[in-house]
Short mmCIF file of all heavy atoms in Angstrom, two decimals:
data_model
loop_
_atom_site.label_atom_id
_atom_site.label_comp_id
_atom_site.label_asym_id
_atom_site.label_seq_id
_atom_site.Cartn_x
_atom_site.Cartn_y
_atom_site.Cartn_z
N GLU H 286 134.76 83.08 103.49
CA GLU H 286 135.95 83.85 103.10
C GLU H 286 136.61 84.48 104.33
O GLU H 286 136.91 85.67 104.36
CB GLU H 286 135.59 84.90 102.06
CG GLU H 286 135.09 84.31 100.76
CD GLU H 286 134.70 85.35 99.72
OE1 GLU H 286 134.64 86.55 100.07
OE2 GLU H 286 134.46 84.96 98.58
N GLN H 287 136.78 83.65 105.37
CA GLN H 287 137.40 84.07 106.63
C GLN H 287 138.50 83.08 106.96
O GLN H 287 138.44 81.92 106.58
CB GLN H 287 136.36 84.07 107.77
CG GLN H 287 135.21 85.03 107.59
CD GLN H 287 135.64 86.47 107.74
OE1 GLN H 287 136.55 86.79 108.50
NE2 GLN H 287 135.00 87.36 106.99
N PRO H 288 139.51 83.52 107.70
CA PRO H 288 140.56 82.58 108.10
C PRO H 288 140.01 81.54 109.09
O PRO H 288 139.13 81.83 109.90
CB PRO H 288 141.62 83.46 108.75
CG PRO H 288 141.04 84.81 108.90
CD PRO H 288 139.79 84.89 108.10
N MET H 289 140.56 80.34 109.01
CA MET H 289 140.12 79.26 109.91
C MET H 289 140.37 79.61 111.36
O MET H 289 139.57 79.27 112.23
CB MET H 289 140.81 77.94 109.55
CG MET H 289 140.31 77.33 108.27
SD MET H 289 140.87 75.64 108.00
CE MET H 289 142.63 75.86 107.87
N SER H 290 141.45 80.31 111.64
CA SER H 290 141.76 80.66 113.04
C SER H 290 140.70 81.59 113.62
O SER H 290 140.33 81.46 114.79
CB SER H 290 143.14 81.30 113.14
OG SER H 290 143.19 82.50 112.39
N LEU H 291 140.17 82.50 112.81
CA LEU H 291 139.12 83.41 113.28
C LEU H 291 137.84 82.64 113.61
O LEU H 291 137.20 82.88 114.64
CB LEU H 291 138.84 84.49 112.23
CG LEU H 291 137.76 85.50 112.59
CD1 LEU H 291 138.22 86.37 113.75
CD2 LEU H 291 137.42 86.35 111.38
N ILE H 292 137.50 81.68 112.76
CA ILE H 292 136.28 80.88 112.99
C ILE H 292 136.47 79.99 114.21
O ILE H 292 135.57 79.86 115.04
CB ILE H 292 135.94 80.07 111.72
CG1 ILE H 292 135.54 81.03 110.62
CG2 ILE H 292 134.83 79.07 112.00
CD1 ILE H 292 135.40 80.43 109.27
N ALA H 293 137.65 79.38 114.34
CA ALA H 293 137.92 78.53 115.50
C ALA H 293 137.89 79.36 116.79
O ALA H 293 137.33 78.93 117.81
CB ALA H 293 139.27 77.83 115.34
N GLU H 294 138.45 80.56 116.75
CA GLU H 294 138.44 81.44 117.93
C GLU H 294 137.01 81.80 118.31
O GLU H 294 136.64 81.75 119.50
CB GLU H 294 139.25 82.71 117.63
CG GLU H 294 139.28 83.68 118.80
CD GLU H 294 140.03 84.96 118.46
OE1 GLU H 294 140.52 85.10 117.33
OE2 GLU H 294 140.11 85.82 119.35
N ALA H 295 136.19 82.14 117.32
CA ALA H 295 134.79 82.49 117.61
C ALA H 295 134.03 81.30 118.17
O ALA H 295 133.22 81.44 119.10
CB ALA H 295 134.12 83.01 116.34
N ALA H 296 134.29 80.10 117.64
CA ALA H 296 133.62 78.90 118.13
C ALA H 296 134.02 78.59 119.57
O ALA H 296 133.16 78.26 120.40
CB ALA H 296 133.93 77.72 117.22
N ILE H 297 135.29 78.73 119.87
CA ILE H 297 135.76 78.47 121.24
C ILE H 297 135.18 79.51 122.19
O ILE H 297 134.71 79.17 123.29
CB ILE H 297 137.30 78.43 121.30
CG1 ILE H 297 137.82 77.22 120.53
CG2 ILE H 297 137.80 78.42 122.74
CD1 ILE H 297 139.32 77.22 120.29
N ALA H 298 135.19 80.77 121.79
CA ALA H 298 134.63 81.83 122.63
C ALA H 298 133.15 81.59 122.88
O ALA H 298 132.67 81.77 124.01
CB ALA H 298 134.85 83.19 121.97
N SER H 299 132.44 81.18 121.86
CA SER H 299 131.01 80.89 122.02
C SER H 299 130.80 79.71 122.96
O SER H 299 129.91 79.73 123.81
CB SER H 299 130.38 80.61 120.66
OG SER H 299 129.04 80.24 120.81
N PHE H 300 131.61 78.69 122.82
CA PHE H 300 131.51 77.50 123.66
C PHE H 300 131.78 77.83 125.12
O PHE H 300 131.12 77.32 126.02
CB PHE H 300 132.49 76.43 123.16
CG PHE H 300 132.40 75.14 123.91
CD1 PHE H 300 131.38 74.22 123.64
CD2 PHE H 300 133.32 74.83 124.90
CE1 PHE H 300 131.29 73.03 124.33
CE2 PHE H 300 133.24 73.64 125.60
CZ PHE H 300 132.22 72.73 125.33
N LEU H 301 132.75 78.70 125.37
CA LEU H 301 133.13 79.05 126.74
C LEU H 301 132.30 80.19 127.33
O LEU H 301 132.41 80.47 128.52
CB LEU H 301 134.62 79.43 126.78
CG LEU H 301 135.59 78.31 126.38
CD1 LEU H 301 137.02 78.83 126.35
CD2 LEU H 301 135.46 77.12 127.31
N SER H 302 131.50 80.83 126.52
CA SER H 302 130.69 81.95 126.98
C SER H 302 129.67 81.49 128.02
O SER H 302 128.99 80.48 127.84
CB SER H 302 129.96 82.58 125.79
OG SER H 302 129.05 83.55 126.23
N PRO H 303 129.53 82.26 129.11
CA PRO H 303 128.57 81.84 130.14
C PRO H 303 127.11 81.95 129.68
O PRO H 303 126.25 81.26 130.21
CB PRO H 303 128.85 82.80 131.30
CG PRO H 303 129.57 83.94 130.72
CD PRO H 303 130.27 83.45 129.49
N ASP H 304 126.83 82.78 128.70
CA ASP H 304 125.44 82.93 128.25
C ASP H 304 125.16 82.17 126.96
O ASP H 304 124.15 82.39 126.32
CB ASP H 304 125.08 84.40 128.10
CG ASP H 304 125.87 85.09 126.99
OD1 ASP H 304 126.92 84.56 126.60
OD2 ASP H 304 125.43 86.15 126.53
N ALA H 305 126.05 81.25 126.59
CA ALA H 305 125.86 80.48 125.35
C ALA H 305 124.58 79.66 125.41
O ALA H 305 123.83 79.58 124.43
CB ALA H 305 127.06 79.58 125.09
N ASP H 306 124.30 79.07 126.57
CA ASP H 306 123.08 78.27 126.70
C ASP H 306 121.84 79.13 126.54
O ASP H 306 120.87 78.70 125.88
CB ASP H 306 123.04 77.56 128.06
CG ASP H 306 124.07 76.44 128.17
OD1 ASP H 306 124.49 75.92 127.11
OD2 ASP H 306 124.45 76.09 129.31
N GLU H 307 121.84 80.32 127.12
CA GLU H 307 120.69 81.21 126.98
C GLU H 307 120.48 81.63 125.54
O GLU H 307 119.35 81.72 125.06
CB GLU H 307 120.84 82.44 127.88
CG GLU H 307 120.67 82.17 129.36
CD GLU H 307 121.98 81.74 130.02
OE1 GLU H 307 123.06 81.91 129.40
OE2 GLU H 307 121.92 81.20 131.14
N ARG H 308 121.57 81.91 124.83
CA ARG H 308 121.44 82.31 123.43
C ARG H 308 120.90 81.18 122.58
O ARG H 308 120.06 81.38 121.71
CB ARG H 308 122.79 82.80 122.88
CG ARG H 308 123.12 84.21 123.32
CD ARG H 308 124.34 84.73 122.61
NE ARG H 308 125.51 84.17 123.29
CZ ARG H 308 126.63 83.82 122.70
NH1 ARG H 308 126.78 83.96 121.41
NH2 ARG H 308 127.63 83.31 123.38
N ARG H 309 121.39 79.97 122.83
CA ARG H 309 120.87 78.80 122.09
C ARG H 309 119.39 78.59 122.41
O ARG H 309 118.58 78.34 121.52
CB ARG H 309 121.67 77.55 122.44
CG ARG H 309 122.77 77.25 121.46
CD ARG H 309 123.33 75.84 121.67
NE ARG H 309 123.85 75.61 123.02
CZ ARG H 309 125.07 75.94 123.41
NH1 ARG H 309 125.90 76.52 122.59
NH2 ARG H 309 125.46 75.69 124.64
N GLU H 310 119.04 78.72 123.67
CA GLU H 310 117.65 78.53 124.08
C GLU H 310 116.76 79.60 123.43
O GLU H 310 115.66 79.31 122.98
CB GLU H 310 117.53 78.60 125.60
CG GLU H 310 116.13 78.32 126.10
CD GLU H 310 116.05 78.32 127.62
OE1 GLU H 310 117.05 77.96 128.27
OE2 GLU H 310 114.99 78.70 128.13
N ALA H 311 117.24 80.84 123.37
CA ALA H 311 116.47 81.92 122.74
C ALA H 311 116.29 81.64 121.24
O ALA H 311 115.20 81.87 120.69
CB ALA H 311 117.15 83.26 122.96
N ALA H 312 117.33 81.15 120.60
CA ALA H 312 117.23 80.85 119.17
C ALA H 312 116.23 79.71 118.93
O ALA H 312 115.41 79.77 118.00
CB ALA H 312 118.60 80.48 118.61
N VAL H 313 116.28 78.69 119.77
CA VAL H 313 115.34 77.57 119.63
C VAL H 313 113.92 78.05 119.90
O VAL H 313 112.98 77.70 119.18
CB VAL H 313 115.74 76.41 120.57
CG1 VAL H 313 114.65 75.37 120.65
CG2 VAL H 313 117.03 75.77 120.10
N ALA H 314 113.74 78.88 120.93
CA ALA H 314 112.40 79.39 121.25
C ALA H 314 111.86 80.24 120.10
O ALA H 314 110.66 80.13 119.77
CB ALA H 314 112.46 80.22 122.53
N LYS H 315 112.71 81.03 119.48
CA LYS H 315 112.27 81.85 118.35
C LYS H 315 111.81 80.96 117.19
O LYS H 315 110.77 81.19 116.58
CB LYS H 315 113.41 82.75 117.89
CG LYS H 315 113.06 83.65 116.74
CD LYS H 315 114.25 84.53 116.34
CE LYS H 315 113.92 85.36 115.12
NZ LYS H 315 115.06 86.15 114.68
N ARG H 316 112.57 79.92 116.90
CA ARG H 316 112.20 79.00 115.82
C ARG H 316 110.91 78.26 116.16
O ARG H 316 110.04 78.07 115.29
CB ARG H 316 113.32 78.01 115.56
CG ARG H 316 114.52 78.66 114.90
CD ARG H 316 115.60 77.64 114.57
NE ARG H 316 116.79 78.32 114.14
CZ ARG H 316 118.00 78.14 114.67
NH1 ARG H 316 118.17 77.26 115.64
NH2 ARG H 316 119.04 78.80 114.22
N LEU H 317 110.75 77.85 117.40
CA LEU H 317 109.52 77.17 117.80
C LEU H 317 108.31 78.10 117.69
O LEU H 317 107.23 77.66 117.29
CB LEU H 317 109.65 76.63 119.23
CG LEU H 317 110.51 75.40 119.39
CD1 LEU H 317 110.68 75.06 120.88
CD2 LEU H 317 109.95 74.21 118.64
N ASP H 318 108.49 79.37 118.03
CA ASP H 318 107.40 80.33 117.87
C ASP H 318 107.01 80.47 116.41
O ASP H 318 105.83 80.56 116.07
CB ASP H 318 107.79 81.70 118.43
CG ASP H 318 107.82 81.73 119.95
OD1 ASP H 318 107.23 80.81 120.57
OD2 ASP H 318 108.43 82.66 120.51
N GLN H 319 107.99 80.51 115.52
CA GLN H 319 107.70 80.60 114.08
C GLN H 319 106.94 79.37 113.61
O GLN H 319 105.97 79.48 112.86
CB GLN H 319 109.00 80.76 113.28
CG GLN H 319 109.68 82.07 113.47
CD GLN H 319 111.07 82.10 112.84
OE1 GLN H 319 111.63 81.07 112.48
NE2 GLN H 319 111.64 83.30 112.71
N VAL H 320 107.37 78.20 114.05
CA VAL H 320 106.69 76.95 113.68
C VAL H 320 105.27 76.96 114.22
O VAL H 320 104.32 76.57 113.53
CB VAL H 320 107.48 75.72 114.19
CG1 VAL H 320 106.67 74.45 114.06
CG2 VAL H 320 108.79 75.59 113.43
N ASP H 321 105.09 77.43 115.45
CA ASP H 321 103.76 77.48 116.06
C ASP H 321 102.84 78.40 115.26
O ASP H 321 101.67 78.06 115.02
CB ASP H 321 103.87 77.95 117.51
CG ASP H 321 102.55 77.91 118.23
OD1 ASP H 321 101.86 76.87 118.14
OD2 ASP H 321 102.18 78.93 118.87
N ARG H 322 103.33 79.55 114.83
CA ARG H 322 102.51 80.47 114.03
C ARG H 322 102.14 79.84 112.69
O ARG H 322 101.02 79.97 112.22
CB ARG H 322 103.24 81.80 113.82
CG ARG H 322 103.20 82.70 115.04
CD ARG H 322 103.67 84.11 114.71
NE ARG H 322 105.02 84.18 114.20
CZ ARG H 322 106.11 84.25 114.96
NH1 ARG H 322 106.01 84.25 116.26
NH2 ARG H 322 107.30 84.33 114.41
N ARG H 323 103.08 79.14 112.07
CA ARG H 323 102.80 78.49 110.80
C ARG H 323 101.75 77.39 110.97
O ARG H 323 100.84 77.25 110.14
CB ARG H 323 104.07 77.90 110.20
CG ARG H 323 105.01 78.96 109.68
CD ARG H 323 106.27 78.34 109.12
NE ARG H 323 107.19 79.38 108.72
CZ ARG H 323 108.51 79.27 108.78
NH1 ARG H 323 109.05 78.15 109.21
NH2 ARG H 323 109.28 80.26 108.41
N ILE H 324 101.87 76.62 112.03
CA ILE H 324 100.89 75.56 112.27
C ILE H 324 99.52 76.18 112.55
O ILE H 324 98.50 75.65 112.08
CB ILE H 324 101.35 74.65 113.42
CG1 ILE H 324 102.54 73.80 112.95
CG2 ILE H 324 100.22 73.77 113.93
CD1 ILE H 324 103.16 72.95 114.03
N SER H 325 99.48 77.28 113.27
CA SER H 325 98.20 77.95 113.53
C SER H 325 97.55 78.42 112.23
O SER H 325 96.34 78.28 112.04
CB SER H 325 98.40 79.15 114.46
OG SER H 325 98.83 78.72 115.73
N ARG H 326 98.36 78.97 111.32
CA ARG H 326 97.81 79.39 110.02
C ARG H 326 97.31 78.20 109.23
O ARG H 326 96.25 78.25 108.61
CB ARG H 326 98.87 80.15 109.22
CG ARG H 326 99.03 81.59 109.65
CD ARG H 326 99.84 82.38 108.64
NE ARG H 326 101.17 81.85 108.45
CZ ARG H 326 102.27 82.30 109.05
NH1 ARG H 326 102.18 83.30 109.90
NH2 ARG H 326 103.44 81.77 108.82
N LEU H 327 98.06 77.11 109.25
CA LEU H 327 97.62 75.90 108.56
C LEU H 327 96.31 75.37 109.14
O LEU H 327 95.41 74.96 108.41
CB LEU H 327 98.69 74.81 108.64
CG LEU H 327 99.89 74.96 107.72
CD1 LEU H 327 100.96 73.94 108.07
CD2 LEU H 327 99.48 74.82 106.28
N GLU H 328 96.22 75.39 110.46
CA GLU H 328 94.99 74.94 111.13
C GLU H 328 93.81 75.81 110.71
O GLU H 328 92.74 75.31 110.41
CB GLU H 328 95.19 75.05 112.65
CG GLU H 328 94.86 73.82 113.41
CD GLU H 328 95.23 73.98 114.88
OE1 GLU H 328 95.35 75.10 115.40
OE2 GLU H 328 95.40 72.93 115.50
N ARG H 329 94.01 77.12 110.69
CA ARG H 329 92.96 78.05 110.28
C ARG H 329 92.55 77.80 108.83
O ARG H 329 91.36 77.70 108.52
CB ARG H 329 93.44 79.49 110.46
CG ARG H 329 92.37 80.52 110.11
CD ARG H 329 92.95 81.87 109.79
NE ARG H 329 93.67 81.79 108.53
CZ ARG H 329 94.67 82.57 108.19
NH1 ARG H 329 95.11 83.49 109.02
NH2 ARG H 329 95.26 82.43 107.02
N ASP H 330 93.53 77.67 107.96
CA ASP H 330 93.24 77.44 106.54
C ASP H 330 92.53 76.12 106.33
O ASP H 330 91.60 76.03 105.52
CB ASP H 330 94.54 77.47 105.71
CG ASP H 330 95.17 78.85 105.69
OD1 ASP H 330 94.52 79.82 106.13
OD2 ASP H 330 96.33 78.95 105.24
N MET H 331 92.93 75.10 107.05
CA MET H 331 92.27 73.80 106.93
C MET H 331 90.83 73.90 107.42
O MET H 331 89.92 73.33 106.82
CB MET H 331 93.04 72.74 107.71
CG MET H 331 92.46 71.35 107.55
SD MET H 331 92.48 70.75 105.86
CE MET H 331 94.20 70.39 105.66
#
Side-chain angles (χ1 to χ4, degrees):
E286 297 178 351
Q287 298 289 328
M289 287 191 297
S290 61
L291 180 67
I292 293 170
E294 179 183 0
I297 293 169
S299 176
F300 183 79
L301 298 175
S302 172
D304 65 341
D306 290 336
E307 288 87 14
R308 282 188 280 145
R309 264 193 302 276
E310 184 177 329
V313 168
K315 180 180 176 183
R316 289 183 189 126
L317 285 174
D318 287 343
Q319 291 171 346
V320 168
D321 185 48
R322 283 192 300 274
R323 288 179 184 147
I324 289 174
S325 295
R326 280 193 300 263
L327 283 171
E328 231 174 23
R329 182 201 69 207
D330 293 349
M331 184 61 74

